[in-house]
Amino acid sequence: MFSERVYNFAAGPSVMPEQVLHSAGSEIMNYAGSGMSVMEMSHRSACFAEIFEDAKSRLKALLKVPDSHEILLLQGGATLQFAAIPMNLLGQGGTADYAVTGNFSRLAAEEAKKYGNVHIACDSTPFGHNRIPDTVNETEGASYFYYCANNTIYGTEWQTVPDVKATLVCDMSSDILSKPVDVSRYGLIYAGAQKNMAPAGLTVLIVDRSLAGKALPITPKVMDYKVQIDKDSMLNTPPCWCIYMLGKVLRWVEDMGGLSAMEERKKLRAGLLYDYLDESRMFIPHAQKGSRSDMNVTFRTGDPALDEEFLKGAASQGLLNLRGHRLTGGMRASIYNAMPIEGVQALVAYMKDFEVEHRV
Amino acid sequence: MFSERVYNFAAGPSVMPEQVLHSAGSEIMNYAGSGMSVMEMSHRSACFAEIFEDAKSRLKALLKVPDSHEILLLQGGATLQFAAIPMNLLGQGGTADYAVTGNFSRLAAEEAKKYGNVHIACDSTPFGHNRIPDTVNETEGASYFYYCANNTIYGTEWQTVPDVKATLVCDMSSDILSKPVDVSRYGLIYAGAQKNMAPAGLTVLIVDRSLAGKALPITPKVMDYKVQIDKDSMLNTPPCWCIYMLGKVLRWVEDMGGLSAMEERKKLRAGLLYDYLDESRMFIPHAQKGSRSDMNVTFRTGDPALDEEFLKGAASQGLLNLRGHRLTGGMRASIYNAMPIEGVQALVAYMKDFEVEHRV
């Protein structure tokens, strides 16, 4: 039982800015004199339309989304997009290139095979996804090139945008809003919101309008990008509360100084952890230099029993959810935008103490 | 600007119990000593697992869901189910019967045509959906019979369960939890949560396990009932906040006396409105006796300008969102479980005053 708030290193859903939660709590019974909670608001009401447009326009400004691209705020999660992407973008008889650099890009590639030809352009499975492959093997005339910008489970992150000819499709679920991005280079960027943006239940898409309108005939209407663009994400009821929270998080990002400030902050946070991991004689980082994620830092002691002791001790100090994914074991510190530097400092201090106490 | 809470007659998202909102607000920074908000909680954490199981078991108890049926808590809305239902239940070459009694059942039937044969078993379009047809024309050996229990837009509601041979599939989005239901008669009950259950972003399914496992090969994995049953709704991140709010609403329903009490309350609320509509010389009810919805009461004056004046006056008194759907015009009072009887009393009082003032 914690009477104070803890440091929450969960991989997603994950820590949110305290100010955002506090603000949401303060108006939960009556939003801005509307006489009702945002949770009770018709998605067609003028009041919610303002909330919706506000979130969209802040996101557009922060990410400098060009007018060629449309922002969609949808339900279903990244996993639904694993199917929606080939349904919308593969075309009859088309081939798509997939970069497999972790669990979610592998799942995306598997799902796409239901709807057309999939070519694996690179695959880091043979080396335990501990780095992003140096080269990719493109298909001439591919419908699109798919990759996952940051691999939450393995703690690796593409350091540059893949240099390919095909339309770029990117799952940015776990590093969106952590740095400036040149949106114009992408046909589609999408992200589950539950890491850097909002509570679980919202999927953000940024799609080049010229790509929409070619969905396969078996595409569910609600998954058809053209339909959702035409309906401004409101073919059906959107996840209103998550959109409202997204707006608050975006305002917080602005207040903190925008995406460049987010990038500085993440470099600081991740630097503290990686510097210590590189000098430690006990903790072994999983991701190789040159591929390391600034969002998810994965490490282990090499001794599963010691890992357990580490996790137990951490939890007792309010350093929570440091257990690695079952596919990797060990530990994982997810340090998204909303993780204060003090959380990482506390974690590194605990790691140092733990190492001193347990060094053989 | 309202300093107090209003009476919100929106069709969905819609009014929620005040106690539920208040309770959510009080623990938004730190849920039950977890040191974090439910919005920040990993869906795989022990704390969220408890919230999830609690909501499922309360729903199971309230609706007396038999062990043959599984409860799924998913994203995507009823509109995604319009596609998921035929994908999962139609089978290769199968035919499904659809009862078209309003806008959403019509949309469901149209979507199903992408995946197989659809037979319209009845259609109330010719009489403006002002009543539920008396008879249905079944297909021998139909894969399932689909109907929408309550038509939010037109204000009609099936008063009995359709007497058909095929597996029953029912969209209960707008009347679930408003009365006891014999779940064992259904192959699938599903409902968008944003009327009687939770904030928008959650879809509840109650599915007969024996029907799962026959999805068409083009079914997205996240839409496959068998996969979601096997994964206990957690193939991917569920809409955690909505599930948490669902649990609170279900506890409120229990505290109020369960589904029989909900039924008594709704009869009281709807009775007040229909009794007045039947005696009024100004207001014309849309739905015919014997088909009237206890959840959505539709009416008009017959004079669009007078309707506008009525709506404007209502809003000034804190009686909000009474505008009818654009397909019907006029007015609609949505009086879901959480609408207090005082709200309906205030509406009827205003209607009476308005009629006296404007009678020619």
Side-chain angles (χ1 to χ4, degrees):
Chain A
M1 293 284 284
F2 298 97
S3 59
E4 303 282 315
R5 282 173 55 82
V6 296
Y7 290 120
N8 174 16
F9 294 94
S14 46
V15 58
M16 296 186 72
E18 256 190 56
Q19 300 93 312
V20 163
L21 294 169
H22 194 269
S23 162
S26 72
E27 58 200 21
I28 203 167
M29 303 300 293
N30 185 350
Y31 171 79
S34 63
M36 62 185 81
S37 177
V38 171
M39 286 184 262
E40 304 175 290
M41 236 170 241
S42 167
H43 58 300
R44 310 273 182 208
S45 65
C47 192
F48 185 74
E50 247 178 60
I51 292 170
F52 182 87
E53 285 309 318
D54 177 77
K56 264 183 69 171
S57 65
R58 284 179 200 275
L59 190 61
K60 188 174 161 80
L62 273 170
L63 279 167
K64 297 192 173 65
V65 177
D67 289 336
S68 52
H69 286 57
E70 183 71 28
I71 294 171
L72 297 176
L73 305 176
L74 306 176
Q75 291 189 53
T79 309
L80 191 66
Q81 291 305 316
F82 293 172
I85 287 163
M87 283 178 172
N88 279 278
L89 305 180
L90 196 41
Q92 296 280 11
T95 297
D97 283 348
Y98 277 73
V100 173
T101 59
N103 189 51
F104 293 107
S105 45
R106 183 181 60 76
L107 292 172
E110 277 175 19
E111 185 79 344
K113 286 179 191 162
K114 290 181 188 166
Y115 310 104
N117 305 311
V118 167
H119 168 71
I120 304 302
C122 67
D123 188 349
S124 53
T125 309
F127 35 94
H129 301 303
N130 71 354
R131 62 181 189 273
I132 304 294
D134 296 323
T135 55
V136 299
N137 175 13
E138 274 190 88
T139 303
E140 190 62 37
S143 300
Y144 58 86
F145 180 94
Y146 179 103
Y147 77 110
C148 179
N150 182 80
N151 300 288
T152 325
I153 292 175
Y154 298 95
T156 60
E157 189 171 9
W158 290 75
Q159 308 294 308
T160 55
V161 179
D163 181 24
V164 296
K165 288 195 218 92
T167 298
L168 277 176
V169 171
C170 183
D171 176 357
M172 284 193 194
S173 293
S174 52
D175 69 356
I176 196 164
L177 297 185
S178 73
K179 60 187 174 189
V181 167
D182 182 356
V183 174
S184 70
R185 294 183 66 176
Y186 294 87
L188 171 68
I189 291 170
Y190 77 102
Q194 67 271 17
K195 291 151 201 289
N196 264 336
M197 296 200 284
L202 171 66
T203 318
V204 174
L205 274 73
I206 304 172
V207 59
D208 182 338
R209 255 185 235 98
S210 70
L211 297 176
K214 297 160 198 155
L216 300 177
I218 48 92
T219 307
K221 194 172 174 188
V222 72
M223 292 168 71
D224 185 323
Y225 297 161
K226 179 71 168 62
V227 171
Q228 290 287 15
I229 290 170
D230 290 347
K231 293 283 186 182
D232 198 11
S233 303
M234 294 225 197
L235 174 70
N236 65 338
T237 316
C240 302
W241 177 259
C242 295
I243 292 169
Y244 158 75
M245 291 301 291
L246 170 64
K248 285 193 184 295
V249 169
L250 294 173
R251 223 168 307 161
W252 174 83
V253 171
E254 292 163 12
D255 290 348
M256 298 297 284
L259 297 189
S260 303
M262 289 296 120
E263 187 171 27
E264 273 171 47
R265 283 164 53 94
K266 89 179 166 99
K267 289 285 171 207
L268 258 178
R269 282 191 306 259
L272 270 181
L273 264 166
Y274 285 122
D275 286 350
Y276 176 62
L277 284 172
D278 286 335
E279 76 186 33
S280 163
R281 294 193 197 169
M282 171 177 274
F283 297 105
I284 310 152
H286 178 73
Q288 295 203 352
K289 283 181 186 176
S291 293
R292 286 173 171 177
S293 165
D294 288 337
M295 296 283 109
N296 313 94
V297 179
T298 47
F299 56 97
R300 62 169 63 79
T301 63
D303 172 357
L306 203 57
D307 287 352
E308 285 302 320
E309 200 181 330
F310 176 87
L311 291 166
K312 204 174 154 189
S316 75
Q317 299 193 20
L319 304 168
L320 294 197
N321 296 320
L322 283 161
R323 183 181 297 280
H325 191 274
R326 62 182 163 73
L327 290 176
T328 54
M331 279 74 76
R332 170 176 55 180
S334 295
I335 47 176
Y336 297 117
N337 281 353
M339 172 58 70
I341 188 78
E342 292 80 6
V344 179
Q345 286 164 342
L347 172 58
V348 171
Y350 168 68
M351 289 170 76
K352 286 182 178 169
D353 288 350
F354 189 89
E355 180 163 352
V356 168
E357 277 169 32
H358 293 80
R359 191 171 293 158
V360 189
Chain B
M1 294 284 285
F2 298 98
S3 58
E4 303 282 315
R5 282 174 53 82
V6 296
Y7 291 121
N8 174 15
F9 294 93
S14 46
V15 58
M16 296 186 73
E18 256 189 57
Q19 300 94 312
V20 163
L21 294 170
H22 195 268
S23 162
S26 73
E27 58 199 21
I28 203 167
M29 303 299 294
N30 185 350
Y31 172 80
S34 64
M36 62 185 81
S37 177
V38 171
M39 286 183 261
E40 304 176 290
M41 235 170 240
S42 167
H43 58 298
R44 310 273 182 208
S45 66
C47 193
F48 185 74
E50 246 179 60
I51 291 170
F52 183 87
E53 285 309 319
D54 178 76
K56 265 183 69 171
S57 65
R58 284 179 201 274
L59 190 61
K60 187 173 161 83
L62 273 169
L63 279 168
K64 298 193 173 65
V65 177
D67 289 336
S68 52
H69 286 57
E70 183 72 27
I71 295 171
L72 297 176
L73 304 177
L74 306 175
Q75 291 189 54
T79 308
L80 190 65
Q81 291 305 315
F82 293 172
I85 288 163
M87 282 178 172
N88 279 279
L89 305 179
L90 196 41
Q92 296 280 12
T95 297
D97 283 348
Y98 276 75
V100 173
T101 59
N103 189 52
F104 293 107
S105 44
R106 183 181 60 76
L107 291 172
E110 277 175 20
E111 185 79 345
K113 286 178 191 164
K114 290 181 188 166
Y115 310 104
N117 305 311
V118 167
H119 168 72
I120 304 300
C122 66
D123 189 349
S124 53
T125 310
F127 35 95
H129 300 304
N130 71 354
R131 61 181 190 274
I132 304 294
D134 296 324
T135 54
V136 298
N137 174 13
E138 275 190 87
T139 303
E140 189 63 36
S143 300
Y144 59 86
F145 180 94
Y146 179 103
Y147 77 111
C148 179
N150 182 81
N151 300 288
T152 326
I153 293 175
Y154 297 95
T156 60
E157 190 172 9
W158 289 74
Q159 309 294 307
T160 55
V161 179
D163 182 25
V164 295
K165 286 193 217 93
T167 298
L168 277 176
V169 171
C170 184
D171 176 356
M172 284 194 194
S173 293
S174 53
D175 70 355
I176 196 164
L177 298 184
S178 73
K179 60 187 173 189
V181 167
D182 182 357
V183 174
S184 69
R185 294 183 66 177
Y186 294 87
L188 170 68
I189 291 169
Y190 77 103
Q194 66 272 19
K195 292 150 200 291
N196 264 337
M197 295 199 287
L202 171 66
T203 318
V204 174
L205 274 74
I206 305 172
V207 58
D208 182 338
R209 255 186 236 98
S210 71
L211 297 176
K214 296 161 199 154
L216 299 178
I218 48 94
T219 307
K221 194 172 174 188
V222 73
M223 292 168 72
D224 185 323
Y225 297 160
K226 179 71 167 61
V227 172
Q228 290 288 14
I229 289 170
D230 290 347
K231 294 282 186 181
D232 198 10
S233 302
M234 293 226 199
L235 174 69
N236 65 339
T237 316
C240 301
W241 177 259
C242 296
I243 292 169
Y244 158 75
M245 292 301 291
L246 170 64
K248 286 194 184 293
V249 170
L250 295 172
R251 224 168 306 161
W252 175 82
V253 172
E254 292 164 12
D255 291 347
M256 299 297 285
L259 297 190
S260 303
M262 289 297 120
E263 187 170 28
E264 273 172 47
R265 283 164 53 94
K266 89 180 166 102
K267 289 284 171 209
L268 258 177
R269 281 191 306 259
L272 271 180
L273 264 166
Y274 285 121
D275 285 352
Y276 176 62
L277 285 172
D278 285 336
E279 77 187 32
S280 164
R281 293 191 199 170
M282 172 178 274
F283 297 104
I284 310 152
H286 178 74
Q288 295 204 351
K289 284 182 186 175
S291 293
R292 287 174 170 175
S293 165
D294 289 338
M295 296 283 108
N296 313 94
V297 179
T298 47
F299 56 97
R300 61 169 64 79
T301 64
D303 172 356
L306 203 58
D307 287 353
E308 285 303 320
E309 200 181 330
F310 176 87
L311 290 166
K312 204 176 154 189
S316 74
Q317 299 194 18
L319 304 167
L320 293 198
N321 297 319
L322 284 160
R323 185 181 296 280
H325 191 274
R326 62 181 165 74
L327 290 176
T328 55
M331 279 75 77
R332 170 175 56 180
S334 295
I335 47 175
Y336 297 116
N337 281 353
M339 173 58 68
I341 188 76
E342 292 80 6
V344 179
Q345 286 164 342
L347 173 58
V348 170
Y350 168 67
M351 290 169 77
K352 285 182 178 169
D353 287 349
F354 189 88
E355 179 163 354
V356 169
E357 277 169 34
H358 294 80
R359 193 172 290 159
V360 191

